[in-house]
Amino acid sequence: MSPGSPRRGREPQFGDQIRLGVLTEEITPEVVDEVLELTGRTERRRRLLPACAVVYFVLALCLFSSSDSAGPPGYRAVLRTLTDKLRHVPCGLVQRLPTSSALTRARQRLGDKPFQALFERRCGTQAAPTTPGAFAFGLRLVAWDGTALDVPDTPENAATFGFTGRDGTNKSGNPQVRLMALIECGTHAIIDAAFDSIARFSEHKLARRLLASLRPGILLLADRNFAGHELWGLVETTGCHLAWRIKKNLVLPPLSVLPDGSYVSVMPTPAEGQRLGNARFHGRTPTRLPQGHFVRIVDYTVTVRPQHRPVQVEKFRLATSLLDHRHAPARQLAQLYHQRWEIENGFAELKNRLRGAPAVQDPRAHLPGNLRAPHRLPGTERTQSPRSRTGKGRSRPDLFHHNDAARAAQDRRTDRSEPAGLARGPTRSHPGTPQRPPAPSPRPPLPTTQEATEEHLRSQTPG
């Protein structure tokens, strides 16, 4: 049932009037009601802010998360934006907005489970077989990687999420969360994501939370930080294929050299790697095949020719589970690996383009519980999900943002219920963007002595 239509058998209330076309079009009220019932967040008594209205309000916090790289609008400012047209209707119900404290309590009462269930229903792949850069060797190209996001600097967030670096040595200014995302390379669609404390969870640990989203028919690209016997084996058990960059100092002797120049080797277990290392140190030749995963190694170089700098040549080494050189030639594998950088472009869209200059993740969330209630506008239905529908035990970050400079600037002038946030530097103007008129020059300072004051008044008097 739409939040803009009253329920049967009672008078319409304030919460029924909250709606925003882009939200209700992508996330219908029927889906919201379903996830609320699924997660047990339906209210027992009718409130001024029903759960359905609070869901759309939290999603709107994402849409209006910043204002031209300035501080985020407050709770009441966002709600004022949602109900702007309704408040001008004569004898309407939306004449007085709830207080910021009421909105805060409603958000805490709702919790994060409905948003996790909503994300489970809306995330997934979007590419069609004809989408450029989405498929290779008959497999869907996906990539995963991690990044860090700043959160508000409060004692609760610092204790829950922690900082990067060491005290006094490159320590981050704000507490941070570590985000691990799995995206589709051709569309940047979010297939799955997880985040947690940056101090206690590495990318390897968070990657294990995304394994349930991998399946046959996928080729997973990753950088050299992830290559390891255990994680490689966990990914292979899902049925998907791998093409990961590995470090050049790993010793992987060839078992057989293939016609395209690649070769088959074994990624040994940690115990086997230590045994082989000791044998090399003492000059002994191993007499048996090491235990581990069969991999195919592709060595190649990338030449960069900058316009005003010397030519740079960098060596790359890929490990892949595609052992058939006829199905996946080494040259084509080397050419497609750059698709891994599409996840970096996705992070740039999140952190730089959609949100403006570097910003704090949800500056309104001063408690860890609010940060774990994600603000998203996912793009498509999930076609296959081996996880539970509620996503129990999963936390996911803000993945969609929208800037509305004029609206939020006006809200900051009229609404003082929330802190203005961190000030940021000026932003670059893009082609086609209307330029703002220059700011008026500041007034000269007023005179300080009595004689100068009298002279100033005489000069301002006509005649």
Side-chain angles (χ1 to χ4, degrees):
M1 181 180 59
S2 171
S5 61
R7 297 177 184 266
R8 296 179 180 178
R10 64 166 184 81
E11 294 294 329
Q13 297 186 17
F14 172 84
D16 296 327
Q17 307 298 323
I18 297 179
R19 64 183 299 118
L20 187 63
V22 67
L23 287 180
T24 55
E25 180 180 355
E26 290 291 334
I27 302 176
T28 63
E30 291 76 16
V31 173
V32 173
D33 289 340
E34 185 177 350
V35 298
L36 288 174
E37 183 177 358
L38 179 66
T39 56
R41 290 299 190 270
T42 53
E43 52 276 318
R44 296 182 179 178
R45 61 183 179 88
R46 189 65 186 175
R47 296 179 179 271
L48 176 64
L49 288 171
C52 182
V54 178
V55 169
Y56 284 107
F57 166 69
V58 175
L59 292 174
L61 292 178
C62 159
L63 287 175
F64 304 101
S65 61
S66 59
S67 169
D68 195 20
S69 298
Y75 279 6
R76 285 167 56 87
V78 172
L79 193 60
R80 186 179 295 112
T81 302
L82 289 178
T83 59
D84 179 54
K85 301 300 182 182
L86 297 172
R87 287 185 292 109
H88 299 288
V89 177
C91 302
L93 294 173
V94 192
Q95 298 297 326
R96 296 182 59 185
L97 297 177
T99 63
S100 294
S101 59
L103 293 168
T104 300
R105 290 192 298 271
R107 184 179 178 184
Q108 294 174 348
R109 187 168 56 246
L110 183 65
D112 62 334
K113 295 302 181 183
F115 298 97
Q116 295 175 10
L118 187 61
F119 176 74
E120 291 289 341
R121 292 175 176 272
R122 300 297 293 165
C123 66
T125 57
Q126 294 184 356
T130 57
T131 302
F135 292 88
F137 315 124
L139 303 171
R140 187 183 299 271
L141 292 179
V142 304
W144 69 11
D145 204 358
T147 188
L149 299 173
D150 289 338
V151 299
D153 190 6
T154 63
E156 295 83 1
N157 289 337
T160 302
F161 302 112
F163 298 82
T164 56
R166 300 178 179 178
D167 293 340
T169 307
N170 296 328
K171 181 179 178 181
S172 57
N174 284 71
Q176 292 183 329
V177 296
R178 191 184 303 279
L179 164 66
M180 185 71 188
L182 177 69
I183 72 161
E184 187 179 38
C185 294
T187 62
H188 295 183
I190 303 297
I191 301 174
D192 204 350
F195 75 94
D196 218 308
S197 166
I198 198 167
R200 296 188 297 272
F201 287 85
S202 64
E203 293 180 351
H204 280 240
K205 290 183 179 180
L206 293 180
R208 286 160 171 77
R209 301 186 184 181
L210 309 182
L211 293 175
S213 297
L214 300 175
R215 58 185 181 270
I218 284 178
L219 177 58
L220 176 63
L221 308 178
D223 65 18
R224 55 188 174 185
N225 178 56
F226 293 94
H229 177 273
E230 182 180 0
L231 188 57
W232 184 282
L234 291 174
V235 174
E236 269 196 324
T237 57
T238 66
C240 84
H241 284 284
L242 304 83
W244 294 2
R245 186 181 178 186
I246 60 176
K247 297 179 180 179
K248 294 175 289 186
N249 59 356
L250 293 179
V251 179
L252 299 173
L255 300 180
S256 61
V257 180
L258 302 176
D260 62 354
S262 61
Y263 61 90
V264 177
S265 183
V266 173
M267 182 180 294
T269 65
E272 285 289 284
Q274 184 176 4
R275 183 184 67 83
L276 295 175
N278 291 334
R280 288 192 300 269
F281 179 78
H282 293 94
R284 298 192 302 266
T285 301
T287 58
R288 62 181 177 85
L289 191 67
Q291 299 178 359
H293 307 297
F294 280 99
V295 295
R296 179 167 158 232
I297 305 299
V298 179
D299 289 315
Y300 64 99
T301 59
V302 174
T303 303
V304 182
R305 295 181 174 88
Q307 185 175 3
H308 302 293
R309 289 182 295 175
V311 175
Q312 301 176 3
V313 178
E314 184 175 357
K315 295 182 178 180
F316 278 67
R317 172 180 282 188
L318 292 184
T320 179
S321 60
L322 298 170
L323 303 182
D324 189 353
H325 68 280
R326 294 164 296 186
H327 175 64
R331 184 177 184 85
Q332 295 184 22
L333 280 170
Q335 290 175 342
L336 73 83
Y337 178 71
H338 77 280
Q339 292 280 70
R340 187 205 74 81
W341 288 93
E342 293 301 326
I343 192 169
E344 303 293 347
N345 292 334
F347 288 150
E349 292 167 356
L350 165 67
K351 301 169 71 173
N352 299 330
R353 302 184 188 123
L354 294 177
R355 302 182 64 187
V360 175
Q361 176 79 3
D362 192 1
R364 314 172 189 86
H366 298 285
L367 297 175
N370 287 346
L371 281 167
R372 295 185 182 277
H375 318 325
R376 306 169 179 274
L377 190 60
T380 183
E381 288 285 342
R382 158 160 280 180
T383 56
Q384 178 179 357
S385 176
R387 293 188 303 277
S388 64
R389 298 175 67 187
T390 59
K392 185 176 181 180
R394 307 290 294 279
S395 300
R396 298 181 174 85
D398 180 341
L399 295 176
F400 185 91
H401 295 270
H402 175 73
N403 293 331
D404 192 334
R407 173 75 64 185
Q410 179 182 1
D411 289 335
R412 287 198 307 278
R413 291 193 298 268
T414 58
D415 178 60
R416 302 301 181 191
S417 60
E418 290 291 321
L422 299 178
R424 308 186 189 104
T427 57
R428 300 179 181 177
S429 58
H430 299 277
T433 303
Q435 301 295 322
R436 296 181 179 180
S441 57
R443 296 181 179 180
L446 294 177
T448 56
T449 63
Q450 181 178 359
E451 293 78 9
T453 302
E454 294 175 354
E455 179 64 23
H456 175 74
L457 293 176
R458 285 194 298 270
S459 65
Q460 299 295 324
T461 302

